[in-house]
Amino acid sequence: MSDHIIKFDKVGKSYGSLKVLDGLDFEVKRGEKVTIIGPSGSGKSTVLRVLMTLETINAGVVYVGNEPLWHEQCNGALVPAGEGHLRKMRQQLGMVFQQFNLFPHMTVRRNIAEAPVKVLGLSRQDANLRAEELLEMVGLADQADKYPHQLSGGQQQRVGIARALAMRPKVMLFDEPTSALDPELVGEVLNVIARLASEHDLTMLLVTHEMRFAREVSDRVCFFDKGRIKEQGTPEELFTDPKEQRTRDFLKAVLDA
Amino acid sequence: MLFGIEWDTSSELAFAWSILPILLIGLWVTVQATVLGFFVALVLGLILAVLKAAPSRFISWPARALTEFIRDTPLLIQLFFLYYVLPEYGIVLPAFLTGALALGLQYSAYTSEVYRAGLEAIGRDQREAARALNFPAAHTFTHVLLPQAIPRIIPAMGNYLVSIMKDVPVLSVVTVLEMLNVAKIIGDRTFDYMVPLSMVGGLYLIMTLVASAGVRLLDMRLPKQGLPLK
């Protein structure tokens, strides 16, 4: 049993001739907070989407908790996984989307409680209780009965975080959680994520353009370029003393902007 | 005399007044055929829409072909087929039921397209959120997609309700005594077509206006909860 909760083993993913992931090797330890940075099209969001089983892979194997995510063992060979296996594996992951992806026709409470009821089999009462606890945690205890469109973007994203946490995932995936927000709303969402990172032993994978934030919360920062990890290290190493010219150029471009 | 009700031909007005109850009996048949036909169209259309969206081509293509076939052949042929051909295979349905089914079948091809458009208008993000939360596929459909599609499709469905209502007279060719057929019989017997036909026109106008108003009311009353409509 290795201490890796996530492992990408020579994973390839392409759209036609465009290689989004190019023989990617990537590992995440239990409880580790990893930030993925890189130019658009470098495959950083794809890593999260592959983990959330929103996108398939073309080559290699992805492991979550030592079990292949996209494959099943069949007579000693790895075969593409069926929906049953995917459902079981998906249970360990939670995702926060760039555009929040809340259900507009459900109240905030229902948005959070729906999956625990339908998927985990909690009673409506218990699920509502869980929803209210999580809303308390993200500072929205008084908004449970509102609909998503009645909230600000920052509040909606905090509901999105609560919704993912309600499933008690082992790994949380944040896909550019603040990119769709007005600048003055970014802080409240980052605060919630930062608190989550410091108070829980959750494994967290974060794709972001907020470099200062990445530096504060992550144990490790990975710079993606052309479907591979070009360079990685502690935030200190990567931000103050990047080895690769490509990393230096990228950091210069985003930090000057 | 029709349905045991006598008419009074002493004056146009007395004639109109005396045949009104007869026409209302026909109107009731028209309403029943409309409601039953619309119900069939709503249910069958949803089934067709789901089949057309199926990931397997072996399911989606036949469903698409069937929709196209139903849509591109006249209602009258489908009606004749159900009424005259099915009994040869031992399936005998009453004229009214056959007619309502034919209407429902014809319009299911149209309503399935409305459903399809309504479902497709919902962004990919909703399906992805449902998948990330591990919802079973059926739950995603009934609790995430459909509730968001319904407010969008109500106006279009309302139009088809009115269309079905206006197509009910076609059922007269298989002996259904709907309102227009009743009016024609009255005309045949009294040689006065003008009065019963005008009355049917007027009654139709009232029915369609009421139906449209009902649909609009439903559309306004239905909670939209921040759905991006148009």
Side-chain angles (χ1 to χ4, degrees), chain B residues 74-110:
Chain B
L75 171 61
L76 202 50
I77 293 180
Q78 291 161 21
L79 184 59
F80 277 179
F81 206 87
L82 291 179
Y83 192 68
Y84 294 114
V85 179
L86 281 189
E88 289 180 24
Y89 297 92
I91 304 168
V92 184
L93 296 172
F96 172 80
L97 209 57
T98 313
L101 278 180
L103 277 175
L105 185 69
Q106 167 91 36
Y107 276 91
S108 69
Y110 296 104

mmCIF file of all heavy atoms in Angstrom, chain B residues 74-110:
data_model
loop_
_atom_site.group_PDB
_atom_site.id
_atom_site.type_symbol
_atom_site.label_atom_id
_atom_site.label_comp_id
_atom_site.label_asym_id
_atom_site.label_seq_id
_atom_site.Cartn_x
_atom_site.Cartn_y
_atom_site.Cartn_z
ATOM 1 N N PRO B 74 -49.323 12.215 -43.662
ATOM 2 C CA PRO B 74 -50.507 12.938 -43.196
ATOM 3 C C PRO B 74 -51.208 12.225 -42.043
ATOM 4 O O PRO B 74 -51.221 10.990 -41.979
ATOM 5 C CB PRO B 74 -51.422 12.971 -44.423
ATOM 6 C CG PRO B 74 -50.547 12.656 -45.575
ATOM 7 C CD PRO B 74 -49.447 11.808 -45.068
ATOM 8 N N LEU B 75 -51.789 13.030 -41.173
ATOM 9 C CA LEU B 75 -52.574 12.504 -40.056
ATOM 10 C C LEU B 75 -53.668 11.564 -40.549
ATOM 11 O O LEU B 75 -53.931 10.519 -39.956
ATOM 12 C CB LEU B 75 -53.174 13.688 -39.284
ATOM 13 C CG LEU B 75 -54.195 13.382 -38.203
ATOM 14 C CD1 LEU B 75 -53.593 12.506 -37.116
ATOM 15 C CD2 LEU B 75 -54.726 14.673 -37.589
ATOM 16 N N LEU B 76 -54.271 11.938 -41.684
ATOM 17 C CA LEU B 76 -55.399 11.164 -42.201
ATOM 18 C C LEU B 76 -54.978 9.723 -42.546
ATOM 19 O O LEU B 76 -55.719 8.769 -42.288
ATOM 20 C CB LEU B 76 -55.961 11.860 -43.447
ATOM 21 C CG LEU B 76 -57.399 11.526 -43.834
ATOM 22 C CD1 LEU B 76 -58.337 11.648 -42.638
ATOM 23 C CD2 LEU B 76 -57.863 12.438 -44.961
ATOM 24 N N ILE B 77 -53.789 9.582 -43.113
ATOM 25 C CA ILE B 77 -53.320 8.235 -43.456
ATOM 26 C C ILE B 77 -53.113 7.406 -42.201
ATOM 27 O O ILE B 77 -53.523 6.250 -42.120
ATOM 28 C CB ILE B 77 -52.002 8.311 -44.267
ATOM 29 C CG1 ILE B 77 -52.272 8.931 -45.633
ATOM 30 C CG2 ILE B 77 -51.381 6.929 -44.405
ATOM 31 C CD1 ILE B 77 -51.038 9.040 -46.498
ATOM 32 N N GLN B 78 -52.487 8.043 -41.202
ATOM 33 C CA GLN B 78 -52.269 7.314 -39.945
ATOM 34 C C GLN B 78 -53.592 6.907 -39.325
ATOM 35 O O GLN B 78 -53.741 5.803 -38.792
ATOM 36 C CB GLN B 78 -51.471 8.190 -38.982
ATOM 37 C CG GLN B 78 -50.038 8.402 -39.430
ATOM 38 C CD GLN B 78 -49.405 9.594 -38.754
ATOM 39 O OE1 GLN B 78 -49.848 10.032 -37.695
ATOM 40 N NE2 GLN B 78 -48.376 10.131 -39.375
ATOM 41 N N LEU B 79 -54.559 7.805 -39.415
ATOM 42 C CA LEU B 79 -55.884 7.533 -38.852
ATOM 43 C C LEU B 79 -56.541 6.360 -39.588
ATOM 44 O O LEU B 79 -57.054 5.419 -38.965
ATOM 45 C CB LEU B 79 -56.748 8.791 -38.962
ATOM 46 C CG LEU B 79 -58.129 8.731 -38.341
ATOM 47 C CD1 LEU B 79 -58.043 8.434 -36.853
ATOM 48 C CD2 LEU B 79 -58.860 10.052 -38.557
ATOM 49 N N PHE B 80 -56.517 6.400 -40.912
ATOM 50 C CA PHE B 80 -57.097 5.305 -41.718
ATOM 51 C C PHE B 80 -56.400 3.991 -41.404
ATOM 52 O O PHE B 80 -57.022 2.942 -41.306
ATOM 53 C CB PHE B 80 -56.970 5.612 -43.218
ATOM 54 C CG PHE B 80 -58.057 6.511 -43.729
ATOM 55 C CD1 PHE B 80 -58.073 6.906 -45.061
ATOM 56 C CD2 PHE B 80 -59.070 6.961 -42.896
ATOM 57 C CE1 PHE B 80 -59.073 7.728 -45.545
ATOM 58 C CE2 PHE B 80 -60.082 7.792 -43.366
ATOM 59 C CZ PHE B 80 -60.073 8.178 -44.696
ATOM 60 N N PHE B 81 -55.085 4.098 -41.261
ATOM 61 C CA PHE B 81 -54.307 2.900 -40.986
ATOM 62 C C PHE B 81 -54.747 2.250 -39.670
ATOM 63 O O PHE B 81 -55.040 1.058 -39.614
ATOM 64 C CB PHE B 81 -52.821 3.274 -40.908
ATOM 65 C CG PHE B 81 -51.912 2.141 -41.244
ATOM 66 C CD1 PHE B 81 -51.566 1.897 -42.566
ATOM 67 C CD2 PHE B 81 -51.425 1.305 -40.254
ATOM 68 C CE1 PHE B 81 -50.736 0.841 -42.889
ATOM 69 C CE2 PHE B 81 -50.593 0.244 -40.573
ATOM 70 C CZ PHE B 81 -50.247 0.014 -41.892
ATOM 71 N N LEU B 82 -54.841 3.089 -38.637
ATOM 72 C CA LEU B 82 -55.243 2.559 -37.330
ATOM 73 C C LEU B 82 -56.674 2.031 -37.360
ATOM 74 O O LEU B 82 -57.001 1.031 -36.736
ATOM 75 C CB LEU B 82 -55.122 3.656 -36.258
ATOM 76 C CG LEU B 82 -53.719 4.115 -35.891
ATOM 77 C CD1 LEU B 82 -53.785 5.220 -34.840
ATOM 78 C CD2 LEU B 82 -52.892 2.962 -35.351
ATOM 79 N N TYR B 83 -57.527 2.728 -38.128
ATOM 80 C CA TYR B 83 -58.955 2.400 -38.086
ATOM 81 C C TYR B 83 -59.326 1.236 -39.002
ATOM 82 O O TYR B 83 -60.150 0.396 -38.664
ATOM 83 C CB TYR B 83 -59.767 3.638 -38.458
ATOM 84 C CG TYR B 83 -61.237 3.484 -38.153
ATOM 85 C CD1 TYR B 83 -61.687 3.407 -36.825
ATOM 86 C CD2 TYR B 83 -62.193 3.422 -39.173
ATOM 87 C CE1 TYR B 83 -63.032 3.278 -36.525
ATOM 88 C CE2 TYR B 83 -63.539 3.293 -38.879
ATOM 89 C CZ TYR B 83 -63.955 3.217 -37.560
ATOM 90 O OH TYR B 83 -65.283 3.083 -37.272
ATOM 91 N N TYR B 84 -58.682 1.175 -40.174
ATOM 92 C CA TYR B 84 -59.082 0.156 -41.148
ATOM 93 C C TYR B 84 -58.110 -1.018 -41.227
ATOM 94 O O TYR B 84 -58.514 -2.130 -41.555
ATOM 95 C CB TYR B 84 -59.223 0.776 -42.540
ATOM 96 C CG TYR B 84 -60.345 1.762 -42.623
ATOM 97 C CD1 TYR B 84 -60.107 3.112 -42.845
ATOM 98 C CD2 TYR B 84 -61.672 1.347 -42.478
ATOM 99 C CE1 TYR B 84 -61.128 4.029 -42.908
ATOM 100 C CE2 TYR B 84 -62.710 2.259 -42.536
ATOM 101 C CZ TYR B 84 -62.438 3.597 -42.754
ATOM 102 O OH TYR B 84 -63.455 4.493 -42.815
ATOM 103 N N VAL B 85 -56.809 -0.773 -40.961
ATOM 104 C CA VAL B 85 -55.835 -1.846 -41.153
ATOM 105 C C VAL B 85 -55.654 -2.689 -39.885
ATOM 106 O O VAL B 85 -55.603 -3.909 -39.945
ATOM 107 C CB VAL B 85 -54.473 -1.274 -41.625
ATOM 108 C CG1 VAL B 85 -53.459 -2.399 -41.802
ATOM 109 C CG2 VAL B 85 -54.655 -0.514 -42.933
ATOM 110 N N LEU B 86 -55.581 -1.994 -38.728
ATOM 111 C CA LEU B 86 -55.357 -2.748 -37.484
ATOM 112 C C LEU B 86 -56.408 -3.833 -37.232
ATOM 113 O O LEU B 86 -56.057 -4.938 -36.800
ATOM 114 C CB LEU B 86 -55.275 -1.794 -36.283
ATOM 115 C CG LEU B 86 -53.948 -1.072 -36.085
ATOM 116 C CD1 LEU B 86 -53.937 -0.347 -34.741
ATOM 117 C CD2 LEU B 86 -52.756 -2.022 -36.165
ATOM 118 N N PRO B 87 -57.712 -3.584 -37.505
ATOM 119 C CA PRO B 87 -58.703 -4.645 -37.283
ATOM 120 C C PRO B 87 -58.402 -5.909 -38.073
ATOM 121 O O PRO B 87 -58.764 -7.011 -37.648
ATOM 122 C CB PRO B 87 -60.003 -4.001 -37.752
ATOM 123 C CG PRO B 87 -59.806 -2.559 -37.523
ATOM 124 C CD PRO B 87 -58.351 -2.307 -37.841
ATOM 125 N N GLU B 88 -57.722 -5.780 -39.211
ATOM 126 C CA GLU B 88 -57.349 -6.973 -39.979
ATOM 127 C C GLU B 88 -56.406 -7.857 -39.175
ATOM 128 O O GLU B 88 -56.271 -9.048 -39.448
ATOM 129 C CB GLU B 88 -56.675 -6.574 -41.303
ATOM 130 C CG GLU B 88 -57.640 -5.957 -42.302
ATOM 131 C CD GLU B 88 -56.937 -5.582 -43.598
ATOM 132 O OE1 GLU B 88 -55.886 -6.188 -43.898
ATOM 133 O OE2 GLU B 88 -57.438 -4.673 -44.288
ATOM 134 N N TYR B 89 -55.717 -7.257 -38.207
ATOM 135 C CA TYR B 89 -54.825 -8.036 -37.355
ATOM 136 C C TYR B 89 -55.444 -8.278 -35.987
ATOM 137 O O TYR B 89 -54.757 -8.559 -35.010
ATOM 138 C CB TYR B 89 -53.477 -7.316 -37.219
ATOM 139 C CG TYR B 89 -52.760 -7.194 -38.538
ATOM 140 C CD1 TYR B 89 -52.934 -6.076 -39.339
ATOM 141 C CD2 TYR B 89 -51.956 -8.240 -39.003
ATOM 142 C CE1 TYR B 89 -52.320 -5.977 -40.580
ATOM 143 C CE2 TYR B 89 -51.342 -8.149 -40.241
ATOM 144 C CZ TYR B 89 -51.527 -7.017 -41.021
ATOM 145 O OH TYR B 89 -50.917 -6.938 -42.239
ATOM 146 N N GLY B 90 -56.757 -8.107 -35.941
ATOM 147 C CA GLY B 90 -57.472 -8.443 -34.712
ATOM 148 C C GLY B 90 -57.499 -7.350 -33.668
ATOM 149 O O GLY B 90 -58.000 -7.549 -32.571
ATOM 150 N N ILE B 91 -56.930 -6.153 -33.986
ATOM 151 C CA ILE B 91 -56.962 -5.067 -33.014
ATOM 152 C C ILE B 91 -58.088 -4.113 -33.392
ATOM 153 O O ILE B 91 -57.978 -3.357 -34.353
ATOM 154 C CB ILE B 91 -55.626 -4.307 -32.979
ATOM 155 C CG1 ILE B 91 -54.484 -5.290 -32.685
ATOM 156 C CG2 ILE B 91 -55.668 -3.200 -31.939
ATOM 157 C CD1 ILE B 91 -53.109 -4.726 -32.900
ATOM 158 N N VAL B 92 -59.180 -4.195 -32.660
ATOM 159 C CA VAL B 92 -60.322 -3.338 -32.970
ATOM 160 C C VAL B 92 -60.520 -2.357 -31.825
ATOM 161 O O VAL B 92 -60.756 -2.757 -30.688
ATOM 162 C CB VAL B 92 -61.611 -4.172 -33.162
ATOM 163 C CG1 VAL B 92 -62.762 -3.268 -33.593
ATOM 164 C CG2 VAL B 92 -61.368 -5.273 -34.165
ATOM 165 N N LEU B 93 -60.375 -1.074 -32.145
ATOM 166 C CA LEU B 93 -60.561 -0.042 -31.132
ATOM 167 C C LEU B 93 -61.757 0.807 -31.528
ATOM 168 O O LEU B 93 -62.039 0.973 -32.716
ATOM 169 C CB LEU B 93 -59.315 0.852 -31.034
ATOM 170 C CG LEU B 93 -58.025 0.183 -30.570
ATOM 171 C CD1 LEU B 93 -56.860 1.137 -30.705
ATOM 172 C CD2 LEU B 93 -58.168 -0.292 -29.132
ATOM 173 N N PRO B 94 -62.465 1.350 -30.542
ATOM 174 C CA PRO B 94 -63.575 2.250 -30.884
ATOM 175 C C PRO B 94 -63.060 3.453 -31.671
ATOM 176 O O PRO B 94 -61.892 3.842 -31.528
ATOM 177 C CB PRO B 94 -64.111 2.687 -29.528
ATOM 178 C CG PRO B 94 -63.449 1.848 -28.511
ATOM 179 C CD PRO B 94 -62.276 1.183 -29.117
ATOM 180 N N ALA B 95 -63.922 4.031 -32.469
ATOM 181 C CA ALA B 95 -63.521 5.144 -33.342
ATOM 182 C C ALA B 95 -62.906 6.283 -32.547
ATOM 183 O O ALA B 95 -61.864 6.830 -32.927
ATOM 184 C CB ALA B 95 -64.728 5.644 -34.138
ATOM 185 N N PHE B 96 -63.538 6.631 -31.424
ATOM 186 C CA PHE B 96 -63.044 7.756 -30.643
ATOM 187 C C PHE B 96 -61.617 7.496 -30.146
ATOM 188 O O PHE B 96 -60.729 8.343 -30.276
ATOM 189 C CB PHE B 96 -63.967 8.019 -29.450
ATOM 190 C CG PHE B 96 -63.417 9.031 -28.485
ATOM 191 C CD1 PHE B 96 -63.516 10.390 -28.762
ATOM 192 C CD2 PHE B 96 -62.767 8.639 -27.322
ATOM 193 C CE1 PHE B 96 -62.990 11.329 -27.890
ATOM 194 C CE2 PHE B 96 -62.236 9.567 -26.445
ATOM 195 C CZ PHE B 96 -62.357 10.914 -26.735
ATOM 196 N N LEU B 97 -61.408 6.305 -29.611
ATOM 197 C CA LEU B 97 -60.097 5.962 -29.080
ATOM 198 C C LEU B 97 -59.048 5.943 -30.188
ATOM 199 O O LEU B 97 -57.936 6.466 -30.028
ATOM 200 C CB LEU B 97 -60.180 4.584 -28.406
ATOM 201 C CG LEU B 97 -59.221 4.346 -27.259
ATOM 202 C CD1 LEU B 97 -59.400 5.388 -26.177
ATOM 203 C CD2 LEU B 97 -59.424 2.944 -26.686
ATOM 204 N N THR B 98 -59.424 5.349 -31.322
ATOM 205 C CA THR B 98 -58.520 5.315 -32.466
ATOM 206 C C THR B 98 -58.122 6.726 -32.867
ATOM 207 O O THR B 98 -56.947 7.020 -33.102
ATOM 208 C CB THR B 98 -59.198 4.633 -33.671
ATOM 209 O OG1 THR B 98 -59.803 3.433 -33.233
ATOM 210 C CG2 THR B 98 -58.198 4.348 -34.771
ATOM 211 N N GLY B 99 -59.129 7.584 -32.941
ATOM 212 C CA GLY B 99 -58.876 8.965 -33.357
ATOM 213 C C GLY B 99 -57.949 9.686 -32.404
ATOM 214 O O GLY B 99 -56.981 10.341 -32.810
ATOM 215 N N ALA B 100 -58.237 9.548 -31.104
ATOM 216 C CA ALA B 100 -57.410 10.235 -30.112
ATOM 217 C C ALA B 100 -55.977 9.697 -30.154
ATOM 218 O O ALA B 100 -55.010 10.466 -30.049
ATOM 219 C CB ALA B 100 -58.006 10.055 -28.719
ATOM 220 N N LEU B 101 -55.841 8.387 -30.336
ATOM 221 C CA LEU B 101 -54.516 7.792 -30.429
ATOM 222 C C LEU B 101 -53.760 8.312 -31.647
ATOM 223 O O LEU B 101 -52.573 8.629 -31.570
ATOM 224 C CB LEU B 101 -54.622 6.267 -30.525
ATOM 225 C CG LEU B 101 -54.796 5.511 -29.208
ATOM 226 C CD1 LEU B 101 -54.879 4.013 -29.463
ATOM 227 C CD2 LEU B 101 -53.614 5.817 -28.290
ATOM 228 N N ALA B 102 -54.469 8.390 -32.782
ATOM 229 C CA ALA B 102 -53.835 8.886 -34.007
ATOM 230 C C ALA B 102 -53.334 10.319 -33.814
ATOM 231 O O ALA B 102 -52.220 10.664 -34.204
ATOM 232 C CB ALA B 102 -54.811 8.807 -35.174
ATOM 233 N N LEU B 103 -54.179 11.142 -33.179
ATOM 234 C CA LEU B 103 -53.775 12.520 -32.896
ATOM 235 C C LEU B 103 -52.525 12.536 -32.003
ATOM 236 O O LEU B 103 -51.558 13.260 -32.274
ATOM 237 C CB LEU B 103 -54.893 13.267 -32.172
ATOM 238 C CG LEU B 103 -56.017 13.867 -33.012
ATOM 239 C CD1 LEU B 103 -57.077 14.446 -32.083
ATOM 240 C CD2 LEU B 103 -55.478 14.955 -33.932
ATOM 241 N N GLY B 104 -52.579 11.725 -30.951
ATOM 242 C CA GLY B 104 -51.463 11.675 -30.015
ATOM 243 C C GLY B 104 -50.182 11.208 -30.686
ATOM 244 O O GLY B 104 -49.108 11.754 -30.464
ATOM 245 N N LEU B 105 -50.326 10.213 -31.536
ATOM 246 C CA LEU B 105 -49.172 9.662 -32.241
ATOM 247 C C LEU B 105 -48.546 10.721 -33.151
ATOM 248 O O LEU B 105 -47.340 10.963 -33.123
ATOM 249 C CB LEU B 105 -49.624 8.455 -33.064
ATOM 250 C CG LEU B 105 -48.542 7.661 -33.784
ATOM 251 C CD1 LEU B 105 -47.682 6.935 -32.757
ATOM 252 C CD2 LEU B 105 -49.168 6.647 -34.735
ATOM 253 N N GLN B 106 -49.402 11.362 -33.959
ATOM 254 C CA GLN B 106 -48.919 12.388 -34.873
ATOM 255 C C GLN B 106 -48.183 13.487 -34.101
ATOM 256 O O GLN B 106 -47.069 13.879 -34.436
ATOM 257 C CB GLN B 106 -50.104 13.006 -35.627
ATOM 258 C CG GLN B 106 -49.786 14.289 -36.390
ATOM 259 C CD GLN B 106 -49.358 14.016 -37.808
ATOM 260 O OE1 GLN B 106 -49.866 13.113 -38.443
ATOM 261 N NE2 GLN B 106 -48.446 14.784 -38.332
ATOM 262 N N TYR B 107 -48.808 13.948 -33.010
ATOM 263 C CA TYR B 107 -48.223 15.078 -32.303
ATOM 264 C C TYR B 107 -47.059 14.677 -31.413
ATOM 265 O O TYR B 107 -46.259 15.530 -31.025
ATOM 266 C CB TYR B 107 -49.308 15.846 -31.527
ATOM 267 C CG TYR B 107 -50.003 16.822 -32.440
ATOM 268 C CD1 TYR B 107 -51.144 16.462 -33.145
ATOM 269 C CD2 TYR B 107 -49.463 18.085 -32.660
ATOM 270 C CE1 TYR B 107 -51.739 17.340 -34.018
ATOM 271 C CE2 TYR B 107 -50.050 18.967 -33.533
ATOM 272 C CZ TYR B 107 -51.191 18.596 -34.221
ATOM 273 O OH TYR B 107 -51.772 19.464 -35.089
ATOM 274 N N SER B 108 -46.938 13.382 -31.103
ATOM 275 C CA SER B 108 -45.781 12.959 -30.303
ATOM 276 C C SER B 108 -44.485 13.232 -31.066
ATOM 277 O O SER B 108 -43.445 13.503 -30.465
ATOM 278 C CB SER B 108 -45.878 11.476 -29.940
ATOM 279 O OG SER B 108 -45.718 10.684 -31.098
ATOM 280 N N ALA B 109 -44.561 13.168 -32.404
ATOM 281 C CA ALA B 109 -43.374 13.465 -33.200
ATOM 282 C C ALA B 109 -42.954 14.925 -32.995
ATOM 283 O O ALA B 109 -41.761 15.229 -32.907
ATOM 284 C CB ALA B 109 -43.646 13.196 -34.674
ATOM 285 N N TYR B 110 -43.942 15.815 -32.900
ATOM 286 C CA TYR B 110 -43.622 17.235 -32.698
ATOM 287 C C TYR B 110 -43.191 17.493 -31.251
ATOM 288 O O TYR B 110 -42.207 18.198 -30.999
ATOM 289 C CB TYR B 110 -44.837 18.103 -33.029
ATOM 290 C CG TYR B 110 -45.248 18.024 -34.479
ATOM 291 C CD1 TYR B 110 -46.358 17.290 -34.868
ATOM 292 C CD2 TYR B 110 -44.509 18.676 -35.464
ATOM 293 C CE1 TYR B 110 -46.727 17.204 -36.191
ATOM 294 C CE2 TYR B 110 -44.871 18.595 -36.793
ATOM 295 C CZ TYR B 110 -45.983 17.854 -37.161
ATOM 296 O OH TYR B 110 -46.344 17.770 -38.464
#
